[in-house]
């Protein structure tokens, strides 16, 4: 008797047998498909929204006030809470320290969707 687990399905009176590795592989494929369907396009910001984000970033940097930062990454809009440590408008980047792990995150300004004070 084999040590490999086997699963059988009945489909139109045919039997198809899968081993445990094949089932995990199929599950990963389904997970990827579901994640792809959940992706959203990156929101386009108006000039006014971009100016407001820049203003809030600079104020948060100078006052060390905590912010909610919403950014776009891999098809998702993500919101985190933390502090702005550095802003380089010309270089299109900033450094954000998240509240949970207190890790420095270097991001581009073009990834930003919204910045608000907590």
């Amino acid at each position: 008797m084999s040590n490999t687990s086997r699963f059988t399905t009945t489909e139109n009176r045919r039997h198809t047998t899968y081993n445990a590795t094949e089932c995990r592989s199929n599950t990963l494929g389904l997970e990827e498909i579901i994640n792809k369907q959940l992706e959203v396009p990156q929101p386009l910001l108006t000039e006014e929204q971009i100016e407001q984000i820049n203003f809030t970033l600079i104020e948060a940097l100078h006052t060390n006030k905590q912010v909610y930062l919403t950014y776009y990454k891999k098809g998702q809009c993500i919101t985190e809470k933390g502090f702005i440590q550095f802003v380089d408008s010309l270089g299109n980047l900033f450094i954000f320290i998240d509240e949970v792990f207190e890790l420095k995150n270097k991001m581009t300004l073009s990834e930003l969707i919204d910045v608000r004070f907590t």
Side-chain angles (χ1 to χ4, degrees), residues 36-91:
K36 265 291 199 217
Q37 289 177 342
L38 295 176
E39 285 184 7
V40 295
Q42 184 170 3
L44 297 175
L45 303 178
T46 65
E47 284 297 319
E48 186 178 313
Q49 289 171 312
I50 293 168
E51 285 178 27
Q52 183 60 47
I53 286 172
N54 285 330
F55 177 78
T56 306
L57 281 175
I58 298 302
E59 185 177 345
L61 175 67
H62 291 296
T63 60
N64 201 34
K65 288 184 181 177
Q66 194 173 47
V67 294
Y68 286 111
L69 186 80
T70 304
Y71 59 95
Y72 182 82
K73 186 174 185 176
K74 296 182 181 178
Q76 296 184 2
C77 297
I78 301 165
T79 300
E80 293 189 48
K81 192 175 181 183
F83 297 91
I84 305 300
Q85 184 181 51
F86 176 78
V87 178
D88 179 3
S89 297
L90 295 176

Coordinates of all heavy atoms in Angstrom, one line a residue, residues 36-91:
K36 N -6.5 37.5 -8.1 CA -6.5 38.3 -9.3 C -7.8 39.0 -9.5 O -7.9 40.1 -9.9 CB -6.2 37.4 -10.6 CG -4.8 37.3 -11.0 CD -4.4 38.6 -11.6 CE -3.1 38.4 -12.4 NZ -2.2 39.5 -12.3
Q37 N -8.9 38.3 -9.2 CA -10.2 38.9 -9.3 C -10.5 40.0 -8.3 O -11.3 40.8 -8.6 CB -11.3 37.8 -9.2 CG -11.3 36.8 -10.4 CD -12.4 35.7 -10.2 OE1 -12.8 35.4 -9.1 NE2 -12.7 35.1 -11.3
L38 N -9.8 39.9 -7.2 CA -10.0 40.9 -6.2 C -9.2 42.2 -6.4 O -9.3 43.2 -5.7 CB -9.6 40.4 -4.8 CG -10.5 39.2 -4.3 CD1 -10.0 38.7 -3.0 CD2 -12.0 39.7 -4.1
E39 N -8.3 42.1 -7.4 CA -7.4 43.3 -7.7 C -8.2 44.5 -8.2 O -9.2 44.3 -8.9 CB -6.3 42.9 -8.7 CG -5.2 42.1 -8.2 CD -4.1 41.8 -9.2 OE1 -4.2 42.4 -10.3 OE2 -3.2 41.0 -8.9
V40 N -7.8 45.7 -7.8 CA -8.5 46.9 -8.3 C -7.4 47.7 -9.0 O -6.2 47.7 -8.7 CB -9.1 47.7 -7.1 CG1 -10.2 46.9 -6.5 CG2 -8.0 48.1 -6.1
P41 N -7.9 48.5 -10.0 CA -6.9 49.4 -10.7 C -6.5 50.5 -9.8 O -7.2 50.9 -8.9 CB -7.7 49.9 -11.9 CG -9.1 49.7 -11.6 CD -9.2 48.6 -10.6
Q42 N -5.3 51.0 -10.0 CA -4.8 52.1 -9.2 C -5.6 53.4 -9.4 O -5.8 53.8 -10.6 CB -3.3 52.4 -9.5 CG -2.8 53.5 -8.5 CD -1.3 53.7 -8.7 OE1 -0.6 53.0 -9.5 NE2 -0.7 54.5 -7.8
P43 N -6.2 54.0 -8.3 CA -7.0 55.2 -8.5 C -6.1 56.3 -9.1 O -5.0 56.5 -8.7 CB -7.4 55.5 -7.1 CG -7.3 54.3 -6.3 CD -6.1 53.5 -7.0
L44 N -6.7 57.1 -10.0 CA -6.1 58.3 -10.5 C -6.5 59.5 -9.6 O -7.6 59.7 -9.3 CB -6.5 58.5 -12.0 CG -6.2 57.4 -12.9 CD1 -6.8 57.7 -14.3 CD2 -4.7 57.3 -13.0
L45 N -5.4 60.3 -9.3 CA -5.7 61.4 -8.4 C -5.7 62.7 -9.2 O -4.9 62.8 -10.2 CB -4.6 61.5 -7.3 CG -4.4 60.3 -6.4 CD1 -3.2 60.5 -5.5 CD2 -5.7 60.0 -5.7
T46 N -6.5 63.7 -8.8 CA -6.5 65.0 -9.4 C -5.3 65.8 -8.9 O -4.7 65.4 -7.8 CB -7.8 65.8 -9.0 OG1 -7.8 66.0 -7.6 CG2 -9.0 65.0 -9.4
E47 N -5.0 66.9 -9.5 CA -3.9 67.7 -9.1 C -4.1 68.2 -7.7 O -3.2 68.3 -6.8 CB -3.6 68.9 -10.0 CG -3.0 68.5 -11.3 CD -1.5 68.0 -11.1 OE1 -0.8 68.6 -10.2 OE2 -1.2 67.0 -11.8
E48 N -5.4 68.6 -7.4 CA -5.8 69.1 -6.1 C -5.5 68.0 -5.0 O -5.0 68.3 -3.9 CB -7.2 69.5 -6.1 CG -7.7 70.1 -4.8 CD -9.2 70.5 -4.9 OE1 -9.6 71.2 -5.9 OE2 -9.9 70.2 -3.9
Q49 N -5.9 66.8 -5.3 CA -5.6 65.7 -4.3 C -4.1 65.5 -4.1 O -3.7 65.3 -2.9 CB -6.3 64.4 -4.8 CG -7.8 64.4 -4.8 CD -8.4 63.2 -5.5 OE1 -8.0 62.8 -6.6 NE2 -9.3 62.5 -4.9
I50 N -3.3 65.5 -5.1 CA -1.9 65.4 -5.0 C -1.3 66.5 -4.2 O -0.5 66.3 -3.3 CB -1.2 65.3 -6.4 CG1 -1.7 64.0 -7.1 CG2 0.3 65.4 -6.3 CD1 -1.3 64.0 -8.6
E51 N -1.8 67.7 -4.4 CA -1.3 68.9 -3.6 C -1.7 68.7 -2.1 O -0.8 69.0 -1.2 CB -1.9 70.2 -4.1 CG -1.3 70.7 -5.4 CD -1.9 71.9 -5.9 OE1 -2.5 72.7 -5.1 OE2 -1.9 72.1 -7.1
Q52 N -2.9 68.2 -1.9 CA -3.3 68.0 -0.5 C -2.5 66.9 0.2 O -2.1 67.1 1.4 CB -4.8 67.6 -0.4 CG -5.4 67.5 1.0 CD -5.2 68.8 1.8 OE1 -5.6 69.8 1.3 NE2 -4.8 68.6 3.0
I53 N -2.2 65.9 -0.5 CA -1.3 64.8 0.0 C 0.0 65.3 0.4 O 0.6 65.1 1.4 CB -1.2 63.6 -1.0 CG1 -2.6 62.8 -1.0 CG2 -0.1 62.7 -0.6 CD1 -2.7 61.8 -2.1
N54 N 0.6 66.1 -0.6 CA 2.0 66.7 -0.3 C 2.0 67.6 0.9 O 2.9 67.6 1.8 CB 2.5 67.4 -1.5 CG 2.9 66.5 -2.6 OD1 3.4 65.4 -2.4 ND2 2.8 66.9 -3.9
F55 N 0.9 68.4 1.0 CA 0.8 69.4 2.1 C 0.7 68.6 3.5 O 1.4 68.9 4.4 CB -0.4 70.3 2.0 CG -0.7 71.2 3.1 CD1 0.1 72.4 3.2 CD2 -1.7 70.9 4.1 CE1 -0.2 73.2 4.3 CE2 -1.9 71.8 5.1 CZ -1.1 72.9 5.3
T56 N -0.1 67.5 3.5 CA -0.3 66.7 4.7 C 1.0 66.0 5.1 O 1.3 65.9 6.2 CB -1.5 65.7 4.5 OG1 -2.7 66.5 4.1 CG2 -1.8 65.0 5.8
L57 N 1.7 65.5 4.1 CA 3.0 64.8 4.3 C 4.0 65.7 5.0 O 4.6 65.3 6.0 CB 3.6 64.3 3.0 CG 3.0 63.0 2.4 CD1 3.7 62.7 1.1 CD2 3.2 61.8 3.4
I58 N 4.1 66.9 4.4 CA 5.1 67.9 5.0 C 4.7 68.3 6.4 O 5.5 68.4 7.3 CB 5.2 69.1 4.1 CG1 5.7 68.7 2.7 CG2 6.1 70.2 4.7 CD1 7.1 68.0 2.7
E59 N 3.4 68.6 6.6 CA 2.9 68.9 7.9 C 3.1 67.8 8.9 O 3.6 68.0 10.1 CB 1.4 69.3 7.9 CG 0.9 69.8 9.3 CD -0.5 70.3 9.2 OE1 -1.1 70.5 8.2 OE2 -1.1 70.5 10.3
A60 N 2.8 66.6 8.5 CA 3.0 65.4 9.4 C 4.5 65.2 9.7 O 4.8 64.9 10.9 CB 2.5 64.1 8.7
L61 N 5.4 65.5 8.8 CA 6.8 65.4 9.0 C 7.3 66.4 10.0 O 8.0 66.1 11.0 CB 7.5 65.6 7.7 CG 9.1 65.6 7.7 CD1 9.6 64.3 8.2 CD2 9.6 66.0 6.4
H62 N 6.8 67.7 9.9 CA 7.3 68.7 10.8 C 6.7 68.7 12.1 O 7.3 69.2 13.1 CB 7.1 70.1 10.1 CG 8.0 70.3 8.9 ND1 9.3 70.4 9.0 CD2 7.7 70.5 7.6 CE1 9.9 70.6 7.8 NE2 8.9 70.6 6.9
T63 N 5.5 68.2 12.3 CA 4.8 68.2 13.6 C 4.9 66.8 14.2 O 4.5 66.7 15.4 CB 3.3 68.5 13.4 OG1 2.7 67.6 12.5 CG2 3.1 69.9 12.8
N64 N 5.4 65.8 13.5 CA 5.5 64.5 14.0 C 4.1 63.9 14.5 O 4.0 63.2 15.4 CB 6.5 64.3 15.2 CG 7.0 62.9 15.3 OD1 7.1 62.1 14.4 ND2 7.2 62.5 16.6
K65 N 3.1 64.3 13.7 CA 1.7 63.8 14.0 C 1.5 62.5 13.3 O 2.1 62.3 12.2 CB 0.7 64.8 13.5 CG 0.5 66.1 14.3 CD -0.6 66.9 13.8 CE -0.8 68.2 14.5 NZ -1.8 69.0 13.9
Q66 N 0.8 61.6 13.9 CA 0.5 60.3 13.3 C -0.5 60.5 12.2 O -1.4 61.3 12.3 CB -0.1 59.4 14.4 CG -0.1 57.9 14.0 CD -0.5 57.1 15.2 OE1 -1.4 57.3 15.9 NE2 0.3 56.0 15.4
V67 N -0.4 59.6 11.2 CA -1.3 59.7 10.0 C -1.8 58.3 9.6 O -1.2 57.3 10.0 CB -0.6 60.3 8.7 CG1 -0.2 61.7 9.0 CG2 0.7 59.4 8.4
Y68 N -2.9 58.3 8.9 CA -3.4 57.1 8.2 C -2.9 57.3 6.8 O -3.1 58.3 6.1 CB -4.9 57.0 8.2 CG -5.5 56.6 9.5 CD1 -6.3 57.5 10.2 CD2 -5.4 55.3 9.9 CE1 -6.9 57.2 11.4 CE2 -6.0 54.9 11.1 CZ -6.7 55.9 11.9 OH -7.3 55.5 13.0
L69 N -2.1 56.3 6.3 CA -1.5 56.4 5.0 C -2.2 55.3 4.1 O -2.1 54.1 4.5 CB 0.0 56.2 5.1 CG 0.8 56.3 3.9 CD1 1.1 57.8 3.6 CD2 2.1 55.6 4.1
T70 N -2.8 55.7 3.0 CA -3.4 54.7 2.1 C -2.5 54.7 0.8 O -2.3 55.8 0.2 CB -4.8 55.1 1.8 OG1 -5.6 55.2 3.0 CG2 -5.5 54.0 0.9
Y71 N -2.1 53.5 0.4 CA -1.3 53.4 -0.8 C -1.7 52.2 -1.6 O -2.4 51.3 -1.1 CB 0.2 53.3 -0.4 CG 0.6 52.2 0.5 CD1 1.0 51.0 0.0 CD2 0.4 52.2 1.9 CE1 1.4 49.9 0.8 CE2 0.8 51.2 2.7 CZ 1.2 50.0 2.1 OH 1.5 48.9 2.9
Y72 N -1.2 52.2 -2.8 CA -1.6 51.1 -3.8 C -0.4 50.2 -4.0 O 0.7 50.6 -4.2 CB -2.0 51.8 -5.1 CG -2.4 50.8 -6.2 CD1 -3.7 50.3 -6.2 CD2 -1.5 50.3 -7.1 CE1 -4.1 49.4 -7.1 CE2 -1.9 49.4 -8.1 CZ -3.2 48.9 -8.1 OH -3.6 48.0 -9.0
K73 N -0.7 48.9 -3.8 CA 0.4 47.9 -4.0 C -0.2 46.6 -4.5 O -1.1 46.1 -3.9 CB 1.1 47.7 -2.7 CG 2.3 46.8 -2.8 CD 3.1 46.8 -1.5 CE 4.4 46.0 -1.6 NZ 5.1 46.0 -0.4
K74 N 0.3 46.1 -5.6 CA -0.1 44.8 -6.1 C -1.6 44.6 -6.2 O -2.2 43.6 -5.8 CB 0.5 43.7 -5.3 CG 2.0 43.6 -5.3 CD 2.5 42.4 -4.5 CE 4.0 42.4 -4.5 NZ 4.6 41.3 -3.7
G75 N -2.3 45.6 -6.8 CA -3.7 45.5 -7.0 C -4.6 45.8 -5.8 O -5.8 45.5 -5.9
Q76 N -4.0 46.2 -4.7 CA -4.8 46.5 -3.5 C -4.5 47.9 -3.0 O -3.4 48.4 -3.1 CB -4.5 45.5 -2.5 CG -4.9 44.1 -2.8 CD -4.6 43.1 -1.7 OE1 -4.2 43.5 -0.6 NE2 -4.9 41.8 -1.9
C77 N -5.5 48.4 -2.3 CA -5.4 49.7 -1.6 C -5.2 49.3 -0.1 O -6.1 48.7 0.5 CB -6.6 50.6 -1.8 SG -6.9 51.1 -3.5
I78 N -4.1 49.7 0.4 CA -3.7 49.3 1.8 C -3.6 50.6 2.7 O -3.1 51.6 2.3 CB -2.4 48.6 1.8 CG1 -2.4 47.4 0.9 CG2 -1.9 48.3 3.2 CD1 -1.1 46.8 0.5
T79 N -4.2 50.5 3.9 CA -4.1 51.7 4.8 C -3.4 51.2 6.0 O -3.7 50.2 6.6 CB -5.6 52.2 5.2 OG1 -6.2 52.6 4.0 CG2 -5.5 53.3 6.2
E80 N -2.4 52.0 6.4 CA -1.6 51.8 7.6 C -1.6 53.1 8.5 O -1.7 54.2 8.0 CB -0.2 51.4 7.3 CG -0.1 50.0 6.6 CD 1.3 49.5 6.4 OE1 2.1 49.6 7.4 OE2 1.7 49.1 5.3
K81 N -1.3 52.9 9.7 CA -1.2 54.0 10.7 C 0.3 54.1 11.1 O 1.0 53.1 11.4 CB -2.0 53.7 11.9 CG -2.3 54.8 12.8 CD -3.3 54.2 13.9 CE -3.7 55.3 14.9 NZ -4.6 54.7 15.9
G82 N 0.8 55.4 11.1 CA 2.2 55.6 11.5 C 2.7 57.0 11.4 O 1.9 57.9 11.4
F83 N 4.0 57.2 11.2 CA 4.6 58.5 11.2 C 5.4 58.7 9.9 O 6.1 57.7 9.4 CB 5.5 58.7 12.4 CG 4.7 58.6 13.7 CD1 4.5 57.4 14.4 CD2 4.2 59.8 14.2 CE1 3.8 57.4 15.5 CE2 3.5 59.8 15.4 CZ 3.3 58.6 16.1
I84 N 5.5 59.9 9.4 CA 6.3 60.2 8.2 C 7.7 60.6 8.8 O 7.8 61.5 9.7 CB 5.7 61.4 7.4 CG1 4.3 61.1 7.0 CG2 6.6 61.7 6.2 CD1 4.1 59.9 6.1
Q85 N 8.7 60.0 8.3 CA 10.1 60.3 8.8 C 10.9 61.2 7.8 O 11.7 62.0 8.2 CB 10.9 59.0 9.0 CG 12.2 59.3 9.6 CD 13.0 58.0 9.8 OE1 13.2 57.2 9.0 NE2 13.5 57.9 11.1
F86 N 10.6 61.0 6.5 CA 11.4 61.7 5.4 C 10.5 61.9 4.2 O 9.8 61.0 3.8 CB 12.6 60.9 5.1 CG 13.5 61.4 4.0 CD1 14.3 62.5 4.2 CD2 13.4 60.9 2.7 CE1 15.1 63.0 3.2 CE2 14.2 61.4 1.7 CZ 15.0 62.4 2.0
V87 N 10.6 63.1 3.5 CA 9.9 63.3 2.3 C 10.9 63.9 1.3 O 11.6 64.9 1.6 CB 8.7 64.2 2.5 CG1 8.0 64.5 1.1 CG2 7.7 63.7 3.5
D88 N 11.0 63.4 0.1 CA 11.8 63.9 -1.0 C 10.9 64.1 -2.2 O 10.7 63.1 -3.0 CB 13.0 63.0 -1.3 CG 13.9 63.5 -2.4 OD1 13.6 64.6 -3.0 OD2 14.8 62.8 -2.8
S89 N 10.3 65.2 -2.3 CA 9.4 65.5 -3.4 C 10.0 65.4 -4.8 O 9.5 64.9 -5.7 CB 8.7 66.8 -3.3 OG 7.9 66.9 -2.1
L90 N 11.3 65.9 -4.9 CA 12.0 65.8 -6.2 C 12.4 64.4 -6.6 O 12.3 64.0 -7.7 CB 13.2 66.7 -6.1 CG 13.0 68.2 -6.0 CD1 14.3 68.9 -5.9 CD2 12.2 68.7 -7.2
G91 N 12.7 63.6 -5.6 CA 13.1 62.2 -5.8 C 11.9 61.2 -5.8 O 12.0 60.0 -6.0

